Amino acid sequence: MSYLKLASLILMSLFYVFAGFRHFTDPAFYLRMMPPYVPFHEAMVFLSGVAEVALGVALLIPQLRVYAAWGVIALLIAVFPANLHMAMANVAL
């Protein structure tokens, strides 16, 4: 693996782990993004934080990297409604 790919992988992993931990240290930031039609806001914020941390770590493990990459894709699809709601409802962060 080239140094650029390795650096990108480490940076992306750190980003997901950091963002995942932010779900626990500042849940209000993420709760504001939640669309009203999504149930169990607090639980969803917690679960997405766990997923981000787990996937960020799994990206660094060569045997899990492909599965983690697909997990990141699934996570990004799952949180897209919150991002869309944030943009459409003009939610201030």
Side-chain angles (χ1 to χ4, degrees):
M1 180 180 300
S2 72
Y3 289 117
L4 181 59
K5 283 186 179 182
L6 181 60
S8 298
L9 176 65
I10 291 170
L11 185 63
M12 184 169 93
S13 297
L14 290 174
F15 170 79
Y16 280 106
V17 170
F18 175 75
F21 277 122
R22 289 242 10 240
H23 284 70
F24 310 116
T25 60
D26 188 14
F29 177 81
Y30 295 96
L31 286 169
R32 288 192 297 268
M33 296 180 205
M34 294 297 289
Y37 56 85
V38 173
F40 312 111
H41 290 180
E42 292 86 4
M44 293 298 183
V45 169
F46 175 79
L47 287 174
S48 61
V50 169
E52 285 185 13
V53 171
L55 291 169
V57 170
L59 285 170
L60 296 174
I61 301 169
Q63 297 88 344
L64 300 178
R65 189 167 296 144
V66 171
Y67 301 110
W70 282 107
V72 167
I73 292 168
L75 177 68
L76 292 174
I77 292 169
V79 300
F80 183 73
N83 294 327
L84 188 61
H85 168 72
M86 187 175 65
M88 301 293 287
N90 208 14
V91 174
L93 298 177

